[in-house]
Amino acid sequence: MQQFKRVLALAVLIVTLSGSVLLAQQPPSAISGAQKLMAVPASKYPGRVFVLPATLETTQWGWFDNAELPRLVIDSGDTVVVETMSHSHGRLWPGATIEELKKLRTDWPGRGPMSLTGPIFVNGAEPGDILRIKIQKIVPRSWAANFNIPGMFGEFPKDFPEGQVKYFYLDADRKVAEFAPGIEIPLRPFPGTLGVARAEPGRYNAVPPGPFAGNLDNRDLVEGTTLHVPVFVRGALVWTGDSHAAQGNGEINLTALETAFQEIVLTITVDKTTRLQWPRIETPSEWITMGFDEDLTKALANARSETAKLLAEQRNVSAEQAAALVSKTSDCRVTQVVDIKKGVHCINSKDQGKTLAAQLPTAETAEYLVTYAANGDMNKAMDTASWNMIELLQKQKSLSRLDAYSLASMTMDCRVGEMDAPEKGVHCVVPKSLWVKR
């Protein structure tokens, strides 16, 4: 009975806030109450502008469900100023211990740690459409965290049975976070999770990404970029959370520079002319395609397949010709290897005469610490290259094992080389510019 009362109370609150699903089917002018109060005057952004705060009523902890009632209803072309919450419904804050953070995972199995604001119902969005979500602005909070849950997650859980959490001040003026005296991480905030409801009914762990986008952990999805994502249910249902101030390609200890956003401003538009099976990211000058799988070798193959589709469309060439172009034109990177489904994304110039493929370093350069490994199994190549970087940071920069793991997770950039060779290369680099003179 108590559970029934709690669910009923939440349903009443949501209906008041969103105008209910039935009202969502009517023109926005018919929606009253809290919905109208969420509309604000802000002529600098397209469409009507709404504010969606992060509260216990407007967020979910670690799961998606396409039956979830909308917290906001908008029209195509409207803009939403979204606030996000830190992990585990705000239970990650400076002072929370690693033991407390571990308990939040062990006591709540089957869900991810991220707090997700939404969903946002978009009038006119139907299955088969594409939703364009443009990130207009991001303002993080003043602090962030990076942590290793002992022996449970990350690329090397068995090798790190000890845990650690570190908290950082985000210097908005200088756009850096001080990792330690003399080590500064440049801030490049982005939403770790941004996407729509999946097609399958029921409640799903929000950790693995998919064709619905979700937990992409793609550090190139920054302010000024647009996520193009297929729609699977009526209204699309948009969520965002898992807010990051910076992240390495790989995110090897499972966490980035984890924060929450005071605001992430999203302009959301329905596209009924384009057809996509997997999400893409658009920057002013580039397209970014993505591939996912529990096996990194297959994730690379999927990313190459999606890239070939893009090149075939862009250059009006055959599928075979486009497939042969991928390794010659694309900069492919290991997005992450810790979210159940691993990811690879490939960056491609909009300028058809320009290639982003480059000769990647296999040894230290003037700008980078470098580790490299090649293997027919991409998983093994990634493991070797990233483990070697952890050891290099300990030896050359005198970092502890856990600090080396942490810094690599937030700053290391692992890229794919030798894509056409039997043994695929993984080149991991850490900028020497992180170490600053005072």
Side-chain angles (χ1 to χ4, degrees):
M1 179 60 71
Q2 186 65 28
Q3 177 71 6
F4 174 77
K5 289 181 179 179
R6 190 189 71 82
V7 172
L8 180 62
L10 178 60
V12 170
L13 187 148
I14 293 170
V15 166
T16 302
L17 179 64
S18 67
S20 86
V21 173
L22 290 177
L23 283 178
Q25 298 172 6
Q26 301 177 24
S29 59
I31 299 170
S32 60
Q35 175 79 26
K36 284 187 175 180
L37 293 175
M38 296 164 79
V40 296
S43 56
K44 68 179 292 185
Y45 293 120
R48 294 179 307 161
V49 178
F50 296 88
V51 173
L52 181 60
T55 70
L56 292 179
E57 289 74 33
T58 63
T59 60
Q60 295 88 55
W61 173 7
W63 48 263
F64 294 116
D65 188 338
N66 66 15
E68 188 69 18
L69 291 175
R71 272 45 170 191
L72 178 66
V73 180
I74 67 170
D75 283 339
S76 175
D78 285 344
T79 299
V80 186
V81 181
V82 183
E83 182 183 37
T84 66
M85 187 182 289
S86 69
H87 283 346
S88 305
H89 264 159
R91 290 175 173 87
L92 172 66
W93 60 71
T97 67
I98 191 61
E99 291 77 18
E100 290 170 329
L101 298 180
K102 179 180 180 180
K103 197 170 187 299
L104 288 169
R105 299 303 302 273
T106 56
D107 286 2
W108 301 89
R111 67 171 71 189
M114 61 282 287
S115 303
L116 303 167
T117 307
I120 301 167
F121 186 103
V122 185
N123 282 321
E126 300 287 347
D129 294 342
I130 296 299
L131 213 61
R132 299 199 305 266
I133 308 175
K134 181 169 183 179
I135 303 175
Q136 303 279 11
K137 182 181 180 182
I138 298 177
V139 180
R141 283 188 182 176
S142 61
W143 61 269
N146 180 268
F147 51 92
N148 177 62
I149 301 293
M152 293 184 64
F153 305 109
E155 190 174 4
F156 305 109
K158 294 180 181 179
D159 297 293
F160 287 90
E162 66 273 46
Q164 173 178 274
V165 59
K166 295 174 75 76
Y167 294 99
F168 308 95
Y169 170 61
L170 304 183
D171 187 334
D173 295 328
R174 298 182 57 235
K175 293 183 171 54
V176 297
E178 186 176 320
F179 181 81
I183 306 175
E184 293 181 343
I185 301 173
L187 303 185
R188 198 165 185 254
F190 71 96
T193 298
L194 176 63
V196 299
R198 55 191 296 163
E200 300 82 3
R203 183 169 292 188
Y204 288 89
N205 188 329
V207 168
F212 48 87
N215 189 28
L216 296 176
D217 273 338
N218 192 315
R219 75 174 191 175
D220 294 303
L221 184 62
V222 295
E223 189 176 287
T225 65
T226 301
L227 176 66
H228 298 242
V229 59
V231 173
F232 296 95
V233 300
R234 188 168 179 273
L237 299 180
V238 178
W239 278 275
T240 188
D242 187 28
S243 307
H244 296 164
Q247 181 198 290
N249 276 323
E251 199 194 20
I252 61 173
N253 81 348
L254 184 68
T255 53
L257 197 55
E258 306 285 340
T259 186
F261 292 155
Q262 294 183 48
E263 59 178 295
I264 175 170
V265 182
L266 307 174
T267 298
I268 304 174
T269 307
V270 178
D271 178 356
K272 292 185 173 292
T273 62
T274 306
R275 291 292 178 265
L276 292 175
Q277 293 180 310
W278 287 88
R280 293 176 182 172
I281 297 170
E282 182 181 8
T283 81
S285 59
E286 297 157 343
W287 282 102
I288 303 174
T289 51
M290 291 166 273
F292 306 100
D293 195 90
E294 292 182 12
D295 183 313
L296 193 60
T297 304
K298 293 179 181 178
L300 172 61
N302 292 338
R304 293 190 68 170
S305 176
E306 288 302 305
T307 305
K309 291 177 185 177
L310 171 69
L311 294 175
E313 298 165 10
Q314 185 186 59
R315 304 187 180 207
N316 195 27
V317 297
S318 69
E320 293 76 14
Q321 290 172 309
L325 283 172
V326 175
S327 62
K328 299 177 177 61
T329 62
S330 305
D331 175 5
C332 295
R333 311 180 182 190
V334 179
T335 317
Q336 53 74 25
V337 291
V338 292
D339 292 331
I340 302 174
K341 289 191 174 180
K342 302 174 183 181
V344 173
H345 65 280
C346 297
I347 306 176
N348 311 272
S349 176
K350 290 181 177 178
D351 181 351
Q352 296 185 26
K354 184 177 180 181
T355 177
L356 298 182
Q359 188 70 35
L360 300 174
T362 58
E364 184 175 344
T365 71
E367 294 81 24
Y368 296 104
L369 300 174
V370 179
T371 54
Y372 166 77
N375 198 295
D377 183 342
M378 275 281 292
N379 304 278
K380 293 180 179 178
M382 178 62 186
D383 285 350
T384 301
S386 51
W387 182 262
N388 288 346
M389 181 60 74
I390 294 169
E391 292 189 327
L392 181 62
L393 290 171
Q394 293 175 75
K395 180 179 179 180
Q396 189 171 129
K397 297 299 182 180
S398 301
L399 296 180
S400 70
R401 292 178 76 251
L402 281 169
D403 277 358
Y405 199 25
S406 173
L407 187 63
S409 192
M410 292 187 284
T411 64
M412 184 171 66
D413 181 2
C414 293
R415 303 196 180 190
V416 183
E418 301 82 46
M419 281 190 280
D420 294 329
E423 290 195 337
K424 308 298 187 288
V426 173
H427 306 248
C428 293
V429 303
V430 169
K432 292 181 178 179
S433 58
L434 300 180
W435 286 265
V436 296
K437 296 180 179 180
R438 296 189 178 280

